[in-house]
Amino acid sequence: MDNRLKLALHDALNAFGLQSSEAKNLFYESGVLRIYPRNAVLFYENAPNELEYLLVEGVLHRYNTDQDGKDITTGFYAGNAIVTPHFSRTVGGRSIFALQALTDIAVAEIPVKVLDQLRYTHPEYRTFGQRVIEAEFSRNLINDIAFRSGTAAYRLELFRKIFPGLENIVPHYHIATYIGVTNVSFSRLRRKK
Amino acid sequence: MDNRLKLALHDALNAFGLQSSEAKNLFYESGVLRIYPRNAVLFYENAPNELEYLLVEGVLHRYNTDQDGKDITTGFYAGNAIVTPHFSRTVGGRSIFALQALTDIAVAEIPVKVLDQLRYTHPEYRTFGQRVIEAEFSRNLINDIAFRSGTAAYRLELFRKIFPGLENIVPHYHIATYIGVTNVSFSRLRRKK
DNA sequence: ATAACTTCTTATCAAATGATAATTGGATTC
DNA sequence: GAATCCAATTATCATTTGATAAGAAGTTAT
């Protein structure tokens, strides 16, 4: 495996609070670093899935297919990012959304059972888990409020703050569904500023 | 405490999978059944909070105050309902939203630490916890998609399915913010059907 | 290099939603 | 019962957003 990516994983673990070499080695024991090409689907909606994902490089999005067969993006993951944890994206062992690479990506995968065990036995992992959860939910709430009381322009502004530069990397129609407008309206919003 | 409510709590515990009398007694040991009048606030945004709540009777809503000082409702709890669990509404020990009674309510309160302990030692509590979490997140996802790809009319329809009759019980302006429209638009949507 | 395809933009028109203000209706208070 | 207050409706107009279609620009395939 690419040495540069090993280093990137090392840095990512640090960034998320797994700083002791003991904690890192525990991760390396069961985690694998994988490469996926652009457009690869890591798992589908309703498919069984038993992994946790740490995105080391590239961009992912989560999406669902609505009644009309259209894909709706409900989240992006960019740079160093923890994908929404297993317990909060799984019902009856099956994923409630699909996860797809929007660029070539490098992602560390670790079985959720292993990570649960680590969280139980190792304080750094406990803190790590707590941090991931809190980030996840406070981010969700901000979006909830933005959709209920903000305009599409405001949501785009928010998106740009949270994911600077992403607009130049991923297809716009994904961003459009993410902020809850058509791709035509999205283009209009871009022109206005 | 009112006998009728004790019975209602008993039924609520059953409904959520705490069926053995052993499981129920464990709950009664540390849980208390409390009455709040309409408009009472159980906890505020940013306030420390260490309880889990099981709504036995009445209606609650969770809300946040946006930049303009307007209150935005991001969820309702009616009838027998588990309030969004502590770990997913708390950052740094402080609540990320406020919880308010919209009718007189009866609610069972139990320290989150106790419930965590029960979940660890008792299989019924483990299943209970799992069920609560899965219900919470799949409901959230449905709303995410409704806001991104549906109209306000569709979200009202969804609200009516999930909370039948609630429209006749709680102030409309709360429902309006919940489905993401002004109260004037809400009134319009009502007239149309 | 050309053709085919996809994404993004632009134009036009219709529909949905917001802002504001006036009005109605039902509670509550005095 | 009159006055007051609050929630909900209605009317009017402006703005935002959607639907559709056509065109532009870039990419991919042959």
Side-chain angles (χ1 to χ4, degrees):
Chain A
M1 176 67 57
D2 194 334
N3 233 331
R4 182 181 60 83
L5 289 179
K6 276 190 188 167
L7 225 117
L9 172 55
H10 176 97
D11 290 346
L13 293 176
N14 270 333
F16 287 107
L18 300 177
Q19 293 173 339
S20 72
S21 52
E22 188 200 349
K24 286 200 192 70
N25 286 332
L26 284 168
F27 189 96
Y28 297 144
E29 267 176 37
S30 311
V32 287
L33 190 53
R34 290 193 58 183
I35 304 288
Y36 290 91
R38 185 161 73 94
N39 293 329
V41 174
L42 279 69
F43 54 78
Y44 285 94
E45 192 178 343
N46 294 322
N49 175 273
E50 295 302 334
L51 297 175
E52 297 285 6
Y53 300 88
L54 192 171
L55 179 63
V56 173
E57 195 177 72
V59 179
L60 288 165
H61 81 314
R62 48 178 278 187
Y63 69 95
N64 291 82
T65 306
D66 74 1
Q67 307 118 313
D68 309 334
K70 279 182 290 191
D71 288 345
I72 311 296
T73 292
T74 59
F76 291 98
Y77 309 93
N80 281 347
I82 304 287
V83 171
T84 302
H86 180 273
F87 81 89
S88 74
R89 60 173 149 88
T90 305
V91 170
R94 291 163 183 280
S95 175
I96 57 180
F97 58 76
L99 186 68
Q100 184 181 34
L102 295 181
T103 66
D104 295 347
I105 61 161
V107 63
E109 300 178 348
I110 189 168
V112 60
K113 293 219 170 181
V114 172
L115 205 59
D116 280 350
Q117 189 58 29
L118 289 173
R119 213 166 7 243
Y120 182 62
T121 55
H122 199 287
E124 268 178 271
Y125 277 89
R126 201 152 41 245
T127 308
F128 161 78
Q130 187 67 19
R131 192 182 299 190
V132 168
I133 287 170
E134 294 188 351
E136 178 82 16
F137 294 127
S138 50
R139 178 167 10 105
N140 282 351
L141 182 60
I142 289 167
N143 277 327
D144 279 4
I145 295 169
F147 271 103
R148 289 181 164 97
S149 70
T151 62
Y154 174 69
R155 291 194 296 279
L156 174 55
E157 190 188 324
L158 209 59
F159 166 83
R160 283 172 170 162
K161 254 184 218 149
I162 299 172
F163 300 107
L166 203 54
E167 199 172 339
N168 306 316
I169 298 174
V170 307
H172 289 172
Y173 51 81
H174 286 140
I175 306 176
T177 66
Y178 178 67
I179 67 172
V181 295
T182 61
N183 41 17
V184 177
S185 281
F186 182 77
S187 176
R188 257 195 300 245
L189 291 173
R190 277 166 52 77
R191 185 168 34 136
K192 283 191 186 162
K193 217 180 59 161
Chain B
M1 175 68 57
D2 193 332
N3 231 332
R4 181 181 61 82
L5 288 180
K6 277 190 186 166
L7 224 116
L9 173 54
H10 177 97
D11 291 346
L13 293 176
N14 270 333
F16 287 107
L18 300 176
Q19 292 173 338
S20 71
S21 52
E22 188 200 348
K24 286 201 193 68
N25 285 332
L26 284 167
F27 189 96
Y28 297 143
E29 266 176 36
S30 311
V32 287
L33 191 51
R34 291 193 58 183
I35 303 288
Y36 291 90
R38 185 160 74 94
N39 293 329
V41 174
L42 280 70
F43 53 78
Y44 285 95
E45 193 178 341
N46 294 322
N49 174 273
E50 294 303 334
L51 297 175
E52 297 285 4
Y53 300 88
L54 192 170
L55 178 63
V56 173
E57 197 177 70
V59 179
L60 288 164
H61 81 314
R62 49 179 277 187
Y63 69 95
N64 291 83
T65 307
D66 73 2
Q67 308 117 312
D68 308 334
K70 280 183 289 191
D71 288 345
I72 310 296
T73 293
T74 59
F76 291 98
Y77 309 93
N80 282 345
I82 306 287
V83 171
T84 301
H86 179 273
F87 80 89
S88 74
R89 61 172 149 85
T90 304
V91 170
R94 292 165 182 278
S95 176
I96 56 179
F97 57 78
L99 187 68
Q100 183 182 35
L102 295 181
T103 65
D104 294 348
I105 61 161
V107 64
E109 300 177 349
I110 188 168
V112 61
K113 294 219 171 183
V114 172
L115 206 59
D116 280 349
Q117 189 59 29
L118 288 173
R119 210 162 14 238
Y120 182 61
T121 55
H122 199 288
E124 269 178 272
Y125 275 90
R126 200 148 44 241
T127 309
F128 161 79
Q130 187 67 18
R131 194 182 299 190
V132 168
I133 286 170
E134 294 189 351
E136 177 82 14
F137 293 126
S138 49
R139 180 168 7 104
N140 282 352
L141 182 60
I142 290 167
N143 278 328
D144 278 3
I145 296 170
F147 270 102
R148 290 181 163 98
S149 71
T151 62
Y154 174 69
R155 292 195 296 278
L156 175 54
E157 190 188 323
L158 209 60
F159 166 82
R160 283 172 170 161
K161 255 184 217 150
I162 299 171
F163 300 106
L166 201 56
E167 200 172 338
N168 306 315
I169 297 173
V170 307
H172 289 174
Y173 50 81
H174 286 140
I175 306 177
T177 65
Y178 178 67
I179 67 172
V181 294
T182 61
N183 41 17
V184 177
S185 281
F186 182 78
S187 178
R188 260 197 297 246
L189 290 172
R190 277 166 52 78
R191 184 167 37 136
K192 284 194 186 161
K193 218 179 58 161

